[in-house]
Amino acid sequence: MASEKRAPEGTLASAAAPAASPPVIGPGHSMETVTDQISRIVLREKGTHPRWWLAFAISSLLVAVLMASVGWLLLKGVGVWGINVPVGWGFAIVNLVWWIGIGHAGTLISAILLLFRQEWRTSINRFAEAMTLFAVACAGLFPLLHVGRPWLAYWLFPYPNTMGTWPQFRSPLEWDVFAIGTYATVSFLFWYVGLIPDLATMRDRARWRWVKVLYGMGALGWRGAARHWERYETAYLLLAGLATPLVVSVHTVVSYDFAVSVIPGWHATIFPPYFVAGAIYSGFAMVVTLAVPIRKLYHLEDFITSRHLQNMAKVMLATGLIVAYGYATEAFFAWYSGSEYEMAMFRNRTSGPYGWSYWALILFNVAIPQLLWVRRVRSAPWALFAISIVVNIGMWLERYVICLLYTSPS
């Protein structure tokens, strides 16, 4: 007879055990399990809440705007993005780097913190992983549309063809294809494997047959046996070990889009660690942006506690200081190099026609986040929410400023 095995922290209760009635602790009161409270959010007995339909309508409207924008782009050409002969990347590459950076927090929270046995990750890792998948999907749109003929994007893959053409493997843009594709695949597997016990729990608690069938297909026959838990934990740990270097390598490859060029300001060895720190910085900011409203709307204060928010704020503060060091290093490199081109680039960045964007990113990414040193600010959810919005705007401006180096007059 197989011995019982407790469900690891971060999953719902074992699907093998039937749902028991919550113990009564007083007249009119009951003490629910964690599984009861989380399952009730999805398996509502009284139907979908009107606020969900409102959010769904707004999201559908935004998707319609996206489809109309993409249609207009394909009809008129990438020139509507401002791309022309001297401007080769612009808007597309800014958003590619920004979205990929946001997607890094999900894998960091799930994989690296799992390997370091940081149990506080378990309250936020599910939606952080889902955020990673959506962020990578958004990032993939921009290089796909940037080629101008997205229906021919399969030319980027090294497949046997009659034309005798092969991708240019010395191009960092080609490296992006493999790096982002690998990252998306591993992130999806990591998210899905971790979700299997929870899908089984939802299957066993669902009331309608078609819902049970859908959750059952996703659960892959999970019954909560000791053998299942053993193989699950082995696979989850192996995927965590595989995903951990991807957090560093993927954004390092993205930084090579700039660093391997000969453009002053881009050709710098600081870019790989600078980009990785910035990715974790913006990624955790987006996790806070999602966590605070979700925590409030679904009354999850017992699961996403003040401690979780403070830990995320500390990670934001630490990575924000690394990003600030990167800004200082760029200024030092420009001065210490003695190159008139590097110094002209930095002067143009700080006092040129787009100087406002540089000082705005310094304000948003360096100055305002210093409030996180104050414990009272770290403990106030809506103050953290406001700072996370500011950081995400600042990180977009950072990529905007980097791309301006290629297009602005010096």
Side-chain angles (χ1 to χ4, degrees):
M1 183 175 181
S3 59
E4 295 183 0
K5 190 172 183 67
R6 184 177 61 87
E9 189 174 356
T11 63
L12 300 182
S14 172
S21 300
V24 177
I25 59 175
H29 297 279
S30 65
M31 184 174 62
E32 292 183 310
T33 65
V34 172
T35 306
D36 293 327
Q37 295 183 59
I38 300 299
S39 300
R40 193 179 64 244
I41 295 175
V42 180
L43 303 175
R44 287 180 176 271
E45 298 180 3
K46 298 181 181 179
T48 305
H49 198 282
R51 287 181 297 187
W52 187 93
W53 288 112
L54 175 62
F56 180 76
I58 295 173
S59 300
S60 300
L61 178 62
L62 293 175
V63 171
V65 172
L66 170 66
M67 294 296 103
S69 303
V70 171
W72 180 255
L73 177 76
L74 297 178
L75 180 66
K76 304 297 288 186
V78 294
V80 300
W81 274 349
I83 297 174
N84 49 43
V85 174
V87 181
W89 290 355
F91 184 79
I93 199 70
V94 170
N95 288 282
L96 163 67
V97 181
W98 188 70
W99 278 112
I100 285 293
I102 285 175
H104 274 60
T107 306
L108 177 78
I109 289 172
S110 296
I112 296 180
L113 297 184
L114 172 66
L115 294 177
F116 281 97
R117 305 297 182 186
Q118 297 296 311
E119 295 181 353
W120 63 270
R121 61 176 281 280
T122 56
S123 292
I124 56 177
N125 68 312
R126 286 290 181 264
F127 64 82
E129 293 165 7
M131 178 203 71
T132 289
L133 298 178
F134 285 109
V136 173
C138 292
L141 282 176
F142 290 96
L144 184 66
L145 296 172
H146 176 264
V147 299
R149 294 181 290 176
W151 51 90
L152 299 178
Y154 66 91
W155 287 2
L156 292 167
F157 296 96
Y159 70 100
N161 61 82
T162 58
M163 296 179 292
T165 58
W166 289 88
Q168 174 55 276
F169 290 108
R170 289 179 294 179
S171 169
L173 295 178
E174 185 65 27
W175 307 341
D176 280 344
V177 173
F178 292 94
I180 295 173
T182 304
Y183 184 64
T185 303
V186 174
S187 296
F188 173 78
L189 290 174
F190 193 64
W191 166 78
Y192 181 69
V193 168
L195 206 60
I196 289 175
D198 297 349
L199 292 173
T201 300
M202 305 302 286
R203 174 201 64 200
D204 295 344
R205 289 170 174 267
R207 295 178 178 272
W208 296 276
R209 180 171 177 78
W210 66 273
V211 177
K212 286 180 176 290
V213 170
L214 288 178
Y215 280 122
M217 293 172 62
L220 302 178
W222 177 275
R223 293 297 172 189
R227 182 179 60 180
H228 291 179
W229 281 115
E230 180 184 6
R231 293 179 178 177
Y232 163 82
E233 291 178 350
T234 301
Y236 202 46
L237 198 61
L238 286 174
L239 283 172
L242 183 62
T244 296
L246 285 178
V247 177
V248 177
S249 62
V250 170
H251 220 60
T252 298
V253 171
V254 172
S255 76
Y256 288 163
D257 293 348
F258 306 93
V260 299
S261 71
V262 294
I263 305 296
W266 285 2
H267 188 66
T269 56
I270 191 63
F271 265 38
Y274 169 42
F275 269 51
V276 171
I280 298 171
Y281 187 33
S282 59
F284 264 87
M286 184 59 73
V287 171
V288 173
T289 302
L290 294 175
V292 171
I294 290 174
R295 180 177 183 261
K296 182 67 175 179
L297 289 174
Y298 292 107
H299 308 292
L300 298 175
E301 289 83 357
D302 292 336
F303 304 104
I304 306 174
T305 64
S306 176
R307 173 173 170 262
H308 294 95
L309 296 178
Q310 287 201 51
N311 286 340
M312 288 189 285
K314 290 173 183 177
V315 174
M316 284 175 55
L317 180 60
T319 51
L321 293 174
I322 297 174
V323 170
Y325 174 77
Y327 297 153
T329 302
E330 285 184 311
F332 176 77
F333 282 176
W335 168 77
Y336 191 71
S337 68
S339 169
E340 58 179 311
Y341 302 105
E342 292 280 350
M343 289 187 285
M345 175 279 302
F346 191 75
R347 283 196 300 270
N348 181 54
R349 171 184 286 190
T350 56
S351 58
Y354 295 100
W356 63 269
S357 57
Y358 177 79
W359 293 111
L361 78 88
I362 294 296
L363 174 65
F364 291 170
N365 290 345
V366 179
I368 293 178
Q370 299 310 307
L371 294 172
L372 296 175
W373 286 103
V374 181
R375 184 182 179 86
R376 183 175 297 179
V377 174
R378 296 198 306 269
S379 302
W382 293 106
L384 282 180
F385 179 79
I387 292 174
S388 69
I389 294 291
V390 166
V391 168
N392 278 315
I393 295 173
M395 292 307 294
W396 189 92
L397 284 172
E398 178 196 294
R399 280 68 181 237
Y400 177 71
V401 167
I402 288 173
C403 288
L404 284 176
L405 291 172
Y406 184 58
T407 60
S408 301
S410 57

